[in-house]
Amino acid sequence: MKLKPLWLTTSAQSKKSKQKDHFLIAIAAGINQKKSVDAIMKKFLPENFTAVLFHYDGNVNGWNDLPWSKSVIHIAASNQTKWWFAKRFLHPAVVSMYQYIFLWDEDLEVDNFNPRRYLNIVRSEGLEISQPGLDSKLSEIHHRITVRKNTGTFHRRVSRANKRCLREGPPCSGWVEGMAPVFSKYAWQCVWHLIQGDRTKNIGVVDSEFIVHRGVQTLGGSTITKDGIRGKNAQSLRQKAAQVQKSRGRDPGLDMRTKIRRKSRSELRDFQKRWARAAREDRTWVDPFAHSRRKRRNRNPQ
């Protein structure tokens, strides 16, 4: 996915392709988050990253004034999600030259993040799927495992002192969230095809390189998190969400996310049916979490 001038000679191309390591960062971006995306690009592009911007608002020309804009790939489709873009434009065969793929949201602050140091940690610890830890004071937190720990370089699970996390398995271990995942090329081959494997062994959160997730709801709606936790900057996030909806000609009081959640639940039910059918038909399939589920049922009989 490297951009190449039409007049570049074959010998010049071979010289430019001698670098062994290639990395990709892809961001679903709207023009309202131009400032934060600009900061991210200034961190990543000097580290030999190829960059792709997925423009969910269709506005490509609004980025032309940034000096790096012509060196990245722009793909536009109105009102589509990051995962919609990734499924259609990041096929494993297309991105096979990249050792690591960063599939990030647009509302991340990277003041305390260094891509090169992050990759060194991921490689040394053998993490196939990872994410940077979140600054708990400034970020909107959905799951405790994503919070940066001040001790150590990375972590794989929530402390057992947490009563909700006495067991193994997601979201207490082997879990990263969808706002800033990083995949190795081999993990991406599985993720793209929705192949489920051992989800806990090579998954972790890197603490020494951390970010801030501002939690801007580009689709509108509340900033209350899944488990009831409010971000420290919840009030400003609500105001930002209202501004985004107003700029799109919507009533700020209308929660468009309700319809999206209904559709997501419907798609999840369809997926669960397909998964159950596939498990029945595959005689070699072994459920890695069957034992832990039986233990929970025995502990909590109906």
Side-chain angles (χ1 to χ4, degrees):
M1 297 181 76
K2 291 275 189 179
L3 296 176
K4 298 178 181 178
L6 295 176
W7 59 87
L8 194 64
T9 64
T10 304
S11 59
Q13 288 184 25
S14 61
K15 288 179 182 178
K16 292 187 95 176
S17 62
K18 283 185 177 179
Q19 291 175 307
K20 292 182 179 179
D21 296 331
H22 299 274
F23 314 110
L24 177 71
I25 180 167
I27 300 176
I31 198 65
N32 289 333
Q33 301 304 318
K34 185 176 178 179
K35 183 177 179 181
S36 60
V37 174
D38 182 36
I40 294 172
M41 288 298 157
K42 287 177 179 177
K43 287 263 187 173
F44 279 80
L45 292 178
E47 300 293 345
N48 195 35
F49 274 79
T50 298
V52 182
L53 290 187
F54 298 131
H55 298 279
Y56 60 78
D57 58 358
N59 188 339
V60 176
N61 292 334
W63 300 79
N64 289 342
D65 60 319
L66 297 175
W68 49 261
S69 180
K70 292 184 179 180
S71 66
V72 308
I73 297 168
H74 299 267
I75 299 174
S78 296
N79 299 321
Q80 302 305 314
T81 68
K82 175 174 70 176
W83 299 102
W84 183 94
F85 283 107
K87 185 66 176 177
R88 286 154 182 81
F89 298 104
L90 299 183
H91 187 281
V94 175
V95 298
S96 61
M97 72 174 287
Y98 300 104
Q99 276 68 47
Y100 290 93
I101 298 162
F102 289 62
L103 192 55
W104 279 19
D105 284 1
E106 59 187 334
D107 59 339
L108 304 176
E109 296 179 7
V110 292
D111 295 342
N112 299 290
F113 182 85
N114 181 288
R116 182 63 58 176
R117 289 200 299 263
Y118 183 90
L119 288 171
N120 289 340
I121 294 168
V122 166
R123 284 171 164 165
S124 65
E125 301 297 340
L127 300 179
E128 300 289 346
I129 302 176
S130 61
Q131 74 162 83
L134 299 182
D135 186 323
S136 60
K137 294 181 180 179
L138 300 174
S139 300
E140 184 180 17
I141 304 300
H142 294 259
H143 298 281
R144 286 298 176 189
I145 192 172
T146 62
V147 175
R148 178 203 180 209
K149 292 185 178 180
N150 294 324
T151 57
T153 304
F154 81 105
H155 65 273
R156 298 180 189 269
R157 62 160 292 118
V158 178
S159 170
R160 293 183 184 276
N162 189 316
K163 293 183 179 180
R164 294 184 179 181
C165 287
L166 297 176
R167 61 182 179 84
E168 291 290 338
C172 299
S173 64
W175 175 274
V176 300
E177 205 168 353
M179 96 287 288
V182 180
F183 306 96
S184 72
K185 64 184 294 184
Y186 304 108
W188 182 244
Q189 291 171 2
C190 293
V191 171
W192 192 89
H193 289 286
L194 293 180
I195 295 176
Q196 185 177 7
D198 185 342
R199 299 180 296 177
T200 62
K201 185 177 180 181
N202 296 321
I203 301 177
V205 178
V206 175
D207 299 306
S208 59
E209 299 299 318
F210 60 98
I211 58 176
V212 173
H213 181 218
R214 292 186 288 117
V216 175
Q217 303 286 5
T218 54
L219 296 173
S222 172
T223 60
I224 299 176
T225 61
K226 184 177 180 181
D227 51 5
I229 304 168
R230 290 179 180 268
K232 300 285 185 181
N233 52 351
Q235 181 62 33
S236 62
L237 292 177
R238 280 196 296 272
Q239 293 173 355
K240 183 67 176 177
Q243 291 173 2
V244 171
Q245 285 190 321
K246 188 176 181 180
S247 67
R248 295 180 179 180
R250 298 174 182 166
D251 179 0
L254 179 63
D255 184 4
M256 299 299 293
R257 295 178 66 83
T258 300
K259 295 182 179 180
I260 296 169
R261 291 192 188 99
R262 289 174 183 167
K263 186 174 187 296
S264 297
R265 284 194 291 269
S266 176
E267 291 178 348
L268 176 60
R269 285 194 294 269
D270 290 340
F271 175 78
Q272 289 171 332
K273 291 177 182 178
R274 290 164 55 199
W275 182 266
R277 184 174 69 250
R280 287 195 306 270
E281 295 174 355
D282 185 353
R283 296 181 180 179
T284 64
W285 162 248
V286 177
D287 185 349
F289 298 108
H291 179 67
S292 59
R293 276 198 291 268
R294 283 196 297 271
K295 287 177 66 176
R296 287 201 303 275
R297 281 199 297 267
N298 293 336
R299 269 199 313 267
N300 303 302
Q302 297 294 329

